[in-house]
Amino acid sequence: MRPSTRIPGILAGLALAVGGIVFAAPAAHADIKACEQVVAQQGKQVTGDVTQACYVGQIGDQTSCVSSLEGAGVSNKASADACRAATK
């Protein structure tokens, strides 16, 4: 492959990769917000610990998410609901 045809191919691939990240990022952020809303509806303050627990739930570790939210003072049922919301 000649260098003159290689560069546009590399740039096109990079553009597609960056575009995929840009589209995925808002969806991930929305899942964490949904989790935080469930916690806030329970009258609990959304702190950094809650946000971190919601992130852990979003990436699929439901057990750690629930455990972390319970440690932050959220009830078991509300913790499970919040962590479930993070995966949607």
Side-chain angles (χ1 to χ4, degrees):
M1 183 183 261
R2 295 188 341 226
S4 60
T5 58
R6 195 176 312 157
I7 292 172
I10 292 171
L11 291 176
L14 182 61
L16 289 172
V18 170
I21 292 170
V22 169
F23 284 117
H29 186 68
D31 293 338
I32 292 173
K33 289 295 179 192
C35 175
E36 291 174 340
Q37 282 182 333
V38 172
V39 172
Q41 289 171 352
Q42 298 300 311
K44 299 296 180 186
Q45 185 175 2
V46 176
T47 62
D49 291 340
V50 169
T51 301
Q52 180 63 30
C54 290
Y55 171 75
V56 169
Q58 179 206 359
I59 61 172
D61 189 352
Q62 297 295 301
T63 304
S64 292
C65 176
V66 171
S67 176
S68 296
L69 287 176
E70 286 177 348
V74 180
S75 72
N76 186 323
K77 182 182 179 330
S79 295
D81 291 344
C83 294
R84 198 172 335 50
T87 61
K88 292 182 180 179

